[in-house]
């Protein structure tokens, strides 16, 4: 047992001695390694930035999502005002001088109810 | 940023290299080259073979650089693993290599007497000779654990085995080394202790 311990301690001494004197990298090997590095390096392709879809490019060109939100809100409000204008909004057609006569029949004697009743008979 | 600054990680240096910074290659070579070469020397036992393994391992590092994902693993661990696999491949091809004792460096130490230096050289040689008697995997595990001082989990990652298997390999390896060196005590200067 004592011999084993002694042998292991001697082995530890040998390890310590070997660790304290690691082999140096030979100059010619270092030169060859760096030559390899210089030869390989130019082959690397520079990383391309990821391609963005068109909608994202447009979004970013306009100023991002906050801008798009405002644009959408303004568009919706414009459509609403156009379809069902509030009472205080003047009729643009009237302002332009056009008369709205779409509901006036050319023939005042025309009576839809009378015509239908004739068809039923 | 200076790539030679000591605080720059291996990860960052590899990314710099992949982005075209040639100074990063020099720094990585200075940091990792000696470690890979040292391990390869101990595992292969032949200087020329160790040099080939080191150059090939570093070449694979350069080629892999653009695909490296920082933070997922240590560059040194990846490199050790490549080097160990290259050593195994070469050993398999060689079939019965030999120990090139002259290849083991004996660092000059002017502060010691010639006799002491000779004895120190003999100890280096004896350790290398004993290492070469070990089975391949035991030798790798012992070198990584006791000469590179890596942790058992890191060695497990390098050798692709469990931590328990690493412990078993290093324990058996140490016992075999101690037995191989026991007969050379006097020659190595341990007889008086």
């Amino acid at each position: 047992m004592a011999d084993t311990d002694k042998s292991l301690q001697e082995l530890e001494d040998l390890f310590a001695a070997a660790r304290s004197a690691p082999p140096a990298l030979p100059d010619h090997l270092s030169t060859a390694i760096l030559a390899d590095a210089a030869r390989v390096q130019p082959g690397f392709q520079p990383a391309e930035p990821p391609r963005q879809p068109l909608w994202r490019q447009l979004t970013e060109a306009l100023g991002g999502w906050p801008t798009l939100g405002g644009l959408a809100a303004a568009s919706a409000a414009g459509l609403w005002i156009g379809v069902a204008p509030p009472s205080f909004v003047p009729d643009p057609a009237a302002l332009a001088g056009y008369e709205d006569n779409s509901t006036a029949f050319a023939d005042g004697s025309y009576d839809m109810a009378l015509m239908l009743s004739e068809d039923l008979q | 940023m200076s790539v030679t600054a000591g605080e720059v990680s291996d990860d960052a240096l590899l990314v710099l290299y992949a982005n075209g910074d040639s100074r990063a290659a020099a720094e990585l070579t200075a940091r990792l080259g000696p470690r890979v070469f040292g391990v390869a020397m101990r595992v292969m036992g032949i200087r020329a073979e160790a040099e080939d393994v080191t150059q090939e391992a570093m070449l694979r590092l350069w080629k892999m650089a653009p695909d490296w994902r920082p933070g997922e693993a240590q560059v040194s661990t990846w490199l050790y693993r490549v080097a160990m696999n290259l050593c195994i491949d070469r050993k398999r091809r060689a079939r019965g290599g030999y120990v090139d004792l002259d290849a083991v460096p004996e660092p000059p130490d002017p502060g010691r007497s010639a006799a002491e230096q000779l004895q120190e050289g003999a100890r280096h040689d004896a350790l290398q000779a004993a290492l070469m008697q070990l089975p391949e995997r035991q030798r790798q595990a012992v070198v990584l654990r006791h000469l590179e001082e890596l942790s058992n989990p890191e060695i497990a990652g390098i050798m692709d085995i469990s931590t328990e298997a690493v412990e078993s390999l290093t324990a058996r390896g140490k016992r075999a080394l101690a037995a191989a060196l026991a007969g050379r005590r006097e020659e190595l200067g341990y007889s008086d202790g």
Side-chain angles (χ1 to χ4, degrees), chain B residues 137-169:
Chain B
R137 302 288 276 174
Q138 273 186 31
R139 182 162 65 248
Q140 286 193 359
V142 167
V143 167
L144 292 172
R145 183 75 189 91
H146 295 287
L147 297 181
E148 291 301 307
E149 295 188 294
L150 302 182
S151 67
N152 284 342
E154 192 171 2
I155 297 169
I158 291 167
M159 298 182 68
D160 202 18
I161 55 178
S162 68
T163 306
E164 292 74 20
V166 173
E167 289 168 359
S168 172
L169 281 173

Side-chain angles (χ1 to χ4, degrees), chain A residues 15-27:
Chain A
F15 285 148
R19 283 196 299 269
S20 68
L25 194 65
D27 287 343

Side-chain angles (χ1 to χ4, degrees), chain B residues 100 138 185:
Chain B
D100 182 6
Q138 273 186 31
R185 251 185 212 158

Side-chain angles (χ1 to χ4, degrees), chain A:
Chain A
M1 187 65 184
D3 274 355
T4 305
D5 291 344
K6 198 172 177 180
S7 296
L8 287 175
Q9 184 53 53
E10 288 163 3
L11 183 58
E12 291 296 341
D13 292 345
L14 285 176
F15 285 148
R19 283 196 299 269
S20 68
L25 194 65
D27 287 343
H28 67 90
L29 180 55
S30 180
T31 303
I33 290 170
L34 288 175
D36 284 342
R39 182 169 51 81
V40 169
Q41 199 173 31
F44 299 152
Q45 297 294 322
E48 287 186 11
R51 291 182 64 86
Q52 291 186 333
L54 184 61
W55 65 268
R56 183 180 286 272
Q57 291 178 34
L58 279 173
T59 302
E60 290 183 359
L62 288 171
W65 285 111
T67 307
L68 273 192
L71 190 61
S75 301
L79 182 65
W80 177 62
I81 291 171
V83 171
S87 57
F88 60 84
V89 175
D91 184 358
L95 286 176
Y98 294 108
E99 188 180 345
D100 182 8
N101 55 2
S102 59
T103 56
F105 292 106
D107 181 2
S109 62
Y110 185 79
D111 188 337
M112 179 67 80
L114 179 62
M115 189 179 72
L116 288 172
S117 64
E118 285 174 353
D119 283 349
L120 289 171
Q121 288 170 1

